[in-house]
Amino acid sequence: MEDDKAALSQELIGIVNEISSIQEYRITVKKQYTNLSRRLKLLTPMLEEIRDSKEPLPDDSVKALASLLTALQSAKDLLRFGSEGSKIYLVDRLSLVEENEGNKLIKSLSHLRADAIFF
């Protein structure tokens, strides 16, 4: 279980680092995507704390981290598309995709129990 926690948190940190390496976004989404990228980068200290913690994580926290992994992968794909994708396709799908990805991230983060992670 301890190895799962370390591997999962390290994978999450890797995805956040990939997200932060995406620099340029299309003009139509630049502000929103830059803000999303910046906010996701703020997860890094929490993920490092989880990785370095000697305490075992409860099963529900591990499940929440796995859910967060899925949401971060989707967010990374969205941000990469906002950087490299077609302008026409981006405008067509923009509002639907952003709302869905935001809901996934919020749901994943709401399942993490701070008292189980940091105390």
Side-chain angles (χ1 to χ4, degrees):
M1 182 62 93
E2 192 70 25
D3 292 335
D4 292 343
K5 176 185 79 166
L8 186 57
S9 59
Q10 191 59 43
E11 190 171 356
L12 287 164
I13 291 168
I15 290 175
V16 170
N17 288 338
E18 286 179 50
I19 287 171
S20 65
S21 71
I22 302 170
Q23 296 294 321
E24 296 297 319
Y25 300 105
R26 303 279 185 212
I27 296 291
T28 55
V29 296
K30 185 171 185 158
K31 184 177 180 181
Q32 297 94 329
Y33 284 21
T34 302
N35 285 336
L36 177 60
S37 176
R38 181 179 48 83
R39 289 178 180 169
L40 292 176
K41 202 181 327 182
L42 294 173
L43 293 173
T44 303
M46 178 190 72
L47 297 172
E48 289 173 345
E49 186 72 27
I50 292 170
R51 180 193 61 200
D52 298 339
S53 172
K54 303 290 186 220
E55 300 295 320
L57 280 179
D59 288 338
D60 57 338
S61 294
V62 173
K63 289 177 186 174
L65 288 176
S67 175
L68 180 61
L69 176 64
T70 303
L72 284 177
Q73 288 171 334
S74 295
K76 180 183 80 171
D77 293 341
L78 174 68
L79 293 171
R80 187 168 311 281
F81 186 74
S83 176
E84 302 166 358
S86 161
K87 292 178 188 177
I88 295 171
Y89 188 72
L90 181 66
V91 170
D92 183 42
R93 300 228 18 223
L94 188 62
S95 62
L96 177 65
V97 172
E98 281 182 353
E99 184 177 325
N100 188 28
E101 299 310 319
N103 289 338
K104 282 183 190 177
L105 288 168
I106 291 168
K107 185 176 180 181
S108 299
L109 290 172
S110 69
H111 286 59
L112 286 175
R113 290 183 27 222
D115 62 327
I117 295 172
F118 298 110
F119 301 107

